């Protein structure tokens, strides 16, 4: 053994502990699945939940001793820990609303939960990646697991369509990202974010145009993953076709993780060439908001409405990125946290309301919901109001901080246009609320059963989080501000 | 010598890549892909990465391509397009002429570069199996191990998507 070989220290293993736990629990689920008879398959989601809570505790523990791990491939800092906790929360909520949906579709099997855990491994890696190689591997782990989940109900045509579209376009986008990474390596001689940053700031040898081109190629990959314009076209079809709990998961978890790594790469590594990519982000942010909000106006399918709304919300987060300041980063983190709760809550309720085979996913199918199930309607209304950005909800403060950060960075036009956009958005969210509260119950709402326990818990927790973020935003904002100092 | 070899094989790789996507028949595309893989292996060799070059030939040009061809065969790629009418002379003289060309090229290379006794490609070193192993299990330990999760997901995904029916 060579003399200069050093085993990874204990602290390094601990910094990778959340991922390790998720991998072990995912594998455990598959092993249990093999031993369980046909009648004993119902318990796997409990194992998954247990693993997720364990991973959350591990993420907390790892975050208490921040630092790099495994030759700087990972960097566990406040920012990474924040997003680790966020995606693990997404995982817990998604697992909670899955069992009832899966058993209704007669597809209750352990692989589903194993895939969710593995996908979260990728997202946790993305949150803490400090190397472009880890970014790529994390993104692939997270995406491939999500492609499979989107097509989980194999006999359902819409599932197949969703999975194949997501897979083909996603692979294409990843190839762009990888090409950009290869260029960066060729230009700077490193894939480490800190080294690239230093190189771009101190050395004049790298041609700024070429570095900008490489950053642009990587932007294509990231923009696809966060469904930012002009790479948003896949979102409505994929979100509509995938099983509702999976849509809940993939509209929140992979998106938050992709934003985390997007912000980290561009703020850390490409900070020196910020003037080349900031205009691109500016244009993309505006286009994303406009396309998302205006396309949502004409949709009649709730899943598509929420898919376009999720595009629009990616635009708001891009506004925060375009602000290019520490306040902007903190605002993006806060916004993503509140977005995750309102979005996953809304999709959890949709997986309850859609019934078997997702027959009832039109807006009009919600007619008179408030009379049949007042609690469900009220919860749904809370999520929609938060998506609009009404005061006393997390969505309001999310938008508030983002536009404040944009104003601080003198992005007046983007702020004005963004605010106009959120006014447009109010229309299609309010339309759903009007249908729920002021229309006579139709035959879709007549046959509605009580929501399953898991969905009830998930949506209550999400609604509680949305309201708490709206009443006492400083709880989370302080954490976000403290953890937003990346790359400095 | 290096830039010339690089130009030749980079050119072959690009041409084969273009041919691969423009071919109508999947088998022809797969064969062009072998061309891409082979010339990539030479490019790796030029960079002094002999281990990667060997792995490229064995894994990609060998194993993965065979798998591709199996899949294409099993999926019944459809009838082959009608072969072009080839002349009798070409069939008769083709192989000897290619051999003659290769011999001539080899002779020219040997005459132009008589001092290259041992083969040494490029100015790069550190691509031996030992160096790769060192890098893989020390600096790149984490990405290497995490890639196993990626492979595991691929297998799991294939199982989920290929099972016969829901239970």
């Amino acid at each position: 053994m060579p003399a200069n070989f050093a085993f990874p220290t204990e602290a390094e293993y601990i910094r990778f502990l959340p991922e390790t736990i998720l991998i072990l629990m995912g594998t455990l689920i598959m092993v249990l699945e093999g031993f369980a008879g046909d009648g004993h398959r119902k318990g796997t989601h409990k194992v998954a939940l247990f693993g997720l809570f364990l991973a959350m505790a591990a993420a907390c523990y790892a975050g208490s001793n921040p630092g790099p791990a495994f030759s700087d491939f990972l960097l566990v800092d406040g920012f990474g820990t924040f997003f680790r906790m966020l995606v693990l929360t997404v995982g817990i909520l998604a697992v909670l609303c899955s069992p009832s949906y899966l058993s209704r579709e007669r597809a209750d099997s352990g692989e589903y939960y194993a895939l969710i855990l593995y996908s979260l491994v990728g997202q946790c890696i993305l949150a803490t990646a400090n190397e472009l190689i880890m970014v790529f591997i994390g993104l692939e782990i997270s995406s491939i697991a999500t492609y499979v989940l989107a097509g989980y109900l194999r006999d359902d045509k819409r599932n197949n369509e969703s999975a194949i579209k997501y897979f083909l376009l996603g692979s294409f986008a990843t190839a762009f990202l990888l090409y950009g990474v290869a260029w960066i390596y060729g230009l700077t001689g490193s894939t480490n974010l800190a080294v690239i940053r230093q190189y771009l700031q101190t050395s004049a040898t790298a041609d700024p145009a070429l570095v900008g081109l490489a950053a642009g190629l990587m932007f294509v990959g990231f923009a696809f993953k966060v469904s930012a314009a002009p790479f948003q076209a896949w979102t409505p079809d994929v979100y509509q076709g995938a099983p509702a709990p999976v849509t809940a998961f993939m509209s929140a978890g992979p998106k938050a993780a992709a934003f985390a790594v997007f912000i980290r790469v561009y703020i850390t590594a490409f900070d020196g060439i910020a003037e080349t990519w900031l205009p691109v982000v500016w244009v993309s942010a505006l286009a994303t908001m406009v396309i998302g909000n205006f396309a949502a106006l004409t949709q009649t399918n709730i899943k598509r409405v929420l898919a376009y709304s999720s595009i629009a919300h990616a635009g708001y987060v891009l506004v925060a990125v375009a602000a290019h300041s520490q306040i902007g980063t903190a605002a993006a983190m806060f916004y993503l946290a509140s977005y995750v709760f309102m979005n996953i809550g809304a999709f959890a309720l949709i997986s309850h309301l859609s019934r078997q085979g997702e027959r009832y996913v039109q807006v009009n199918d919600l007619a008179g919901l408030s009379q049949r199930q007042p609690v469900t309607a009220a919860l749904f209304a809370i999520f929609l109001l938060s998506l609009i950005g009404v005061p006393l909800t997390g969505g309001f403060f999310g938008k508030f901080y983002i536009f404040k950060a944009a104003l601080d960075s003198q992005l007046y036009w983007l702020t004005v246009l963004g605010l106009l956009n959120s006014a447009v958005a109010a229309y299609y969210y309010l339309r759903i609320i009007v249908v729920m509260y002021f229309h006579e119950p139709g035959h879709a709402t007549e046959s509605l059963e009580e929501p399953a326990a898991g969905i009830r818990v998930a949506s209550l927790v999400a609604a509680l989080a949305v309201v708490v973020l709206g009443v006492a935003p400083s709880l989370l904002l302080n954490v976000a501000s403290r953890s937003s100092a990346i790359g400095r | 010598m290096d830039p010339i070899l690089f130009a030749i094989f980079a050119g072959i790789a690009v041409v084969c890549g273009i041919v691969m996507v423009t071919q109508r028949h999947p088998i022809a595309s797969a064969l062009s892909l072998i061309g891409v893989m082979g010339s990539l292996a030479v490019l790796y060799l030029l960079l002094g990465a002999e281990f990667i070059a060997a792995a490229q030939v064995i894994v990609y040009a060998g194993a993965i391509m065979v798998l591709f061809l199996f899949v294409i065969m099993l999926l019944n790629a459809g009838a082959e397009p009608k072969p072009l009418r080839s002349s009798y002379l070409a069939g008769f003289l083709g192989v000897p002429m290619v051999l003659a060309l290769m011999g001539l090229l080899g002779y020219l290379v040997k005459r132009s570069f008589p001092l290259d006794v041992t083969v040494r490609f490029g100015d790069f070193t550190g691509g031996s199996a030992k160096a790769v192993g060192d890098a893989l299990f020390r600096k790149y330990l984490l990405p290497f191990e995490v890639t196993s999760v990626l492979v595991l997901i691929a297998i799991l995904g294939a199982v989920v998507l290929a099972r016969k029916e829901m239970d």
Side-chain angles (χ1 to χ4, degrees), chain A residues 256-315:
Chain A
F259 260 119
V261 74
F262 178 69
I263 292 172
R264 193 193 282 275
V265 168
Y266 278 75
I267 301 276
T268 313
F270 298 150
D271 200 44
I273 53 159
E275 68 276 10
T276 55
W277 56 264
L278 277 176
V280 178
V281 174
W282 195 102
V283 172
S284 176
L286 181 60
T288 313
M289 288 189 292
V290 170
I291 292 177
N293 283 321
F294 281 88
L297 291 177
T298 57
Q299 301 300 323
T300 54
N301 181 309
I302 311 172
K303 280 171 104 181
R304 284 184 87 85
V305 172
L306 286 178
Y308 279 113
S309 108
S310 122
I311 295 175
H313 286 282

Side-chain angles (χ1 to χ4, degrees), chain B residues 66-122:
Chain B
V66 169
L67 211 63
F68 268 17
L69 290 175
F70 269 144
V71 170
I72 294 173
M73 258 166 51
L74 289 174
L75 290 180
N76 259 338
E80 283 190 44
K82 246 178 153 178
L84 293 172
R85 209 167 54 84
S86 54
S87 76
Y88 180 68
L89 195 65
F92 189 68
L93 280 181
V95 175
M97 289 303 270
V98 166
L99 284 178
L101 182 69
M102 298 290 239
L104 199 63
L105 277 179
Y107 174 71
L108 277 178
V109 169
K110 184 111 177 96
R111 239 188 65 163
S112 325
F113 304 95
L115 290 179
D116 275 4
V117 185
T118 53
V119 182
R120 197 178 67 82
F121 290 103

Side-chain angles (χ1 to χ4, degrees), chain A residues 370-392:
Chain A
S370 62
Q371 296 173 32
R372 308 293 309 180
Q373 285 189 9
V375 179
T376 311
L379 288 174
F380 206 37
I382 289 178
F383 297 132
L384 291 172
L385 290 174
S386 178
L387 285 163
I388 299 175
V390 168
L392 293 182

Side-chain angles (χ1 to χ4, degrees), chain B residues 14-167:
Chain B
V14 171
V15 170
C16 283
I18 294 171
V19 169
M20 189 193 99
V21 287
T22 51
Q23 284 291 332
R24 280 171 177 275
H25 201 268
I27 296 275
S29 289
L31 291 178
S32 322
L33 190 55
I34 295 185
V36 178
M37 302 290 190
S39 28
L40 275 186
V42 178
L43 293 185
Y44 289 143
L45 211 52
L46 287 175
L47 289 170
E50 63 244 32
F51 177 75
I52 306 282
Q56 170 82 8
V57 171
I58 297 169
V59 176
Y60 281 93
I64 290 187
M65 284 314 302
V66 169
L67 211 63
F68 268 17
L69 290 175
F70 269 144
V71 170
I72 294 173
M73 258 166 51
L74 289 174
L75 290 180
N76 259 338
E80 283 190 44
K82 246 178 153 178
L84 293 172
R85 209 167 54 84
S86 54
S87 76
Y88 180 68
L89 195 65
F92 189 68
L93 280 181
V95 175
M97 289 303 270
V98 166
L99 284 178
L101 182 69
M102 298 290 239
L104 199 63
L105 277 179
Y107 174 71
L108 277 178
V109 169
K110 184 111 177 96
R111 239 188 65 163
S112 325
F113 304 95
L115 290 179
D116 275 4
V117 185
T118 53
V119 182
R120 197 178 67 82
F121 290 103
D123 296 326
F124 306 96
T125 48
S128 64
K130 182 172 181 295
V132 171
D134 262 3
L136 212 52
F137 290 104
R138 263 192 232 158
K139 188 176 174 206
Y140 293 93
L141 177 68
L142 185 66
F144 175 71
E145 296 292 350
V146 170
T147 308
S148 59
V149 180
L150 191 56
V151 178
L152 186 62
I153 289 180
I155 300 171
L156 183 58
V159 169
V160 166
L161 293 179
R163 80 204 136 172
K164 276 241 169 55
E165 69 229 4
M166 294 304 203
D167 41 23

Side-chain angles (χ1 to χ4, degrees), chain A residues 460-481:
Chain A
L460 272 175
V461 168
L464 197 67
V466 165
V467 172
V468 167
L469 288 181
V471 176
S474 50
L475 291 178
L476 189 70
L477 191 73
N478 288 344
V479 179
S481 314

Side-chain angles (χ1 to χ4, degrees), chain A residues 191-467:
Chain A
T191 49
N192 186 296
L193 299 185
V195 177
I196 296 172
R197 172 192 176 85
Q198 200 158 26
Y199 187 91
L200 291 180
Q201 277 177 344
T202 57
S203 144
T205 45
D207 187 347
L210 286 179
V211 180
L213 192 65
L217 284 168
M218 290 180 65
F219 178 76
V220 173
F222 288 130
F224 177 89
K225 298 292 174 196
V226 301
S227 61
F231 308 102
Q232 87 298 348
W234 57 278
T235 317
D237 288 352
V238 171
Y239 282 15
Q240 184 193 3
V246 174
T247 315
F249 177 69
M250 73 183 172
S251 67
K255 202 167 203 170
F259 260 119
V261 74
F262 178 69
I263 292 172
R264 193 193 282 275
V265 168
Y266 278 75
I267 301 276
T268 313
F270 298 150
D271 200 44
I273 53 159
E275 68 276 10
T276 55
W277 56 264
L278 277 176
V280 178
V281 174
W282 195 102
V283 172
S284 176
L286 181 60
T288 313
M289 288 189 292
V290 170
I291 292 177
N293 283 321
F294 281 88
L297 291 177
T298 57
Q299 301 300 323
T300 54
N301 181 309
I302 311 172
K303 280 171 104 181
R304 284 184 87 85
V305 172
L306 286 178
Y308 279 113
S309 108
S310 122
I311 295 175
H313 286 282
Y316 300 130
V317 181
L318 281 179
V319 172
V321 179
H324 191 238
S325 61
Q326 196 176 335
I327 310 173
T329 310
M333 291 162 77
F334 183 89
Y335 195 85
L336 281 168
S338 56
Y339 161 81
V340 154
F341 285 113
M342 53 208 189
N343 215 48
I344 214 164
F347 275 112
L349 290 177
I350 288 175
S351 56
H352 158 60
L353 294 166
S354 60
R355 256 72 56 83
Q356 204 201 345
E358 299 203 359
R359 281 168 297 162
Y360 300 111
V361 283
Q362 298 300 316
V363 172
N364 290 333
D365 291 335
L366 294 180
L369 184 66
S370 62
Q371 296 173 32
R372 308 293 309 180
Q373 285 189 9
V375 179
T376 311
L379 288 174
F380 206 37
I382 289 178
F383 297 132
L384 291 172
L385 290 174
S386 178
L387 285 163
I388 299 175
V390 168
L392 293 182
T393 61
F396 169 74
F397 280 107
K399 284 204 177 72
F400 176 76
Y401 292 133
I402 279 184
F403 289 125
K404 186 172 169 298
L407 282 179
D408 287 350
S409 305
Q410 278 102 38
L411 299 172
Y412 302 120
W413 275 109
L414 199 56
T415 311
V416 170
L417 293 168
L419 286 172
L420 285 178
N421 255 294
S422 14
V424 172
Y427 168 75
Y428 58 82
Y429 294 124
L430 283 176
R431 196 182 53 175
I432 301 179
I433 296 182
V434 167
V435 170
M436 284 196 305
Y437 277 87
F438 301 112
H439 284 202
E440 284 304 307
H443 107 103
T445 28
E446 294 291 342
S447 57
L448 194 60
E449 297 136 27
E450 285 297 304
I455 288 178
R456 226 178 278 177
V457 173
S459 52
L460 272 175
V461 168
L464 197 67
V466 165
V467 172

